[in-house]
Amino acid sequence: MISTFKSLALSALLFAGATASVTAYAGAADFSLVNRTGYSISEVYISAANKDAWGKDRMGDGTLDNGKAKLFRFSDAANCVQDIKVVFEDDSSEVVWEDIDLCEVHKITLRYNRKTRVVSAETE
C-alpha cells in the first residue's frame, strides 16, 4: 500500500513538473530584435500572420538605432507565427517581415536594402 502511494505521488509530481515546463515554454516567446537595417527604427508592430490589424506601436518612446537590440515581450503562444512591421525614423517608410515563428526564436536580426527593397531576417 505504501509503495503504491509513493508511486502515485511520484507520478503526480512528474506530471506536474512536465505540465509546468510546457506552460513555461508556451509563454517564453520573448525575443530580442536586432536592427541591422542601416537606419534607425522609430516604431515596431507585431501582428498574427493571418490578421490585418497591427495594434499598438511596441517601441514606445525612443528609437532602435542601427546595430542596437531591444527585448520585446511576446506571450501569444496561440498565435506563434507573426509578422513584424517597422517604421524608419528618417523617412517614415514601412517594411514588413512576414511569417516569423516567435515561439521558436529568441533573437531576430532584421536586414533591409532600401535601394532594392529586399528584406531578410536571421533567426536564432
Side-chain angles (χ1 to χ4, degrees):
M1 175 107 164
I2 292 176
S3 177
T4 303
F5 177 76
K6 284 182 180 178
S7 293
L8 289 173
L10 181 59
S11 295
L13 284 173
L14 290 173
F15 177 77
T19 304
S21 66
V22 169
T23 302
Y25 179 76
D30 297 347
F31 65 95
S32 291
L33 187 68
V34 181
N35 179 7
R36 294 275 186 216
T37 63
Y39 308 96
S40 292
I41 296 172
S42 59
E43 300 172 38
V44 174
Y45 300 90
I46 303 170
S47 175
N50 59 355
K51 296 188 178 175
D52 292 327
W54 285 105
K56 66 177 183 155
D57 170 24
R58 304 281 185 117
M59 273 298 295
D61 294 332
T63 59
L64 181 58
D65 292 331
N66 185 55
K68 301 293 183 179
K70 179 175 173 63
L71 177 67
F72 286 88
R73 303 277 180 210
F74 181 80
S75 59
D76 186 4
N79 294 298
C80 291
V81 179
Q82 300 282 315
D83 295 340
I84 298 174
K85 176 173 80 170
V86 303
V87 177
F88 294 109
E89 181 180 43
D90 65 331
D91 68 355
S92 297
S93 62
E94 301 176 354
V95 178
V96 176
W97 286 262
E98 297 179 328
D99 301 323
I100 298 173
D101 188 340
L102 296 182
C103 296
E104 294 294 323
V105 301
H106 302 291
K107 180 179 172 184
I108 304 165
T109 301
L110 301 179
R111 299 188 188 280
Y112 174 57
N113 183 322
R114 193 174 272 179
K115 290 179 183 177
T116 62
R117 300 205 40 91
V118 172
V119 299
S120 64
E122 296 173 20
T123 57
E124 296 178 32

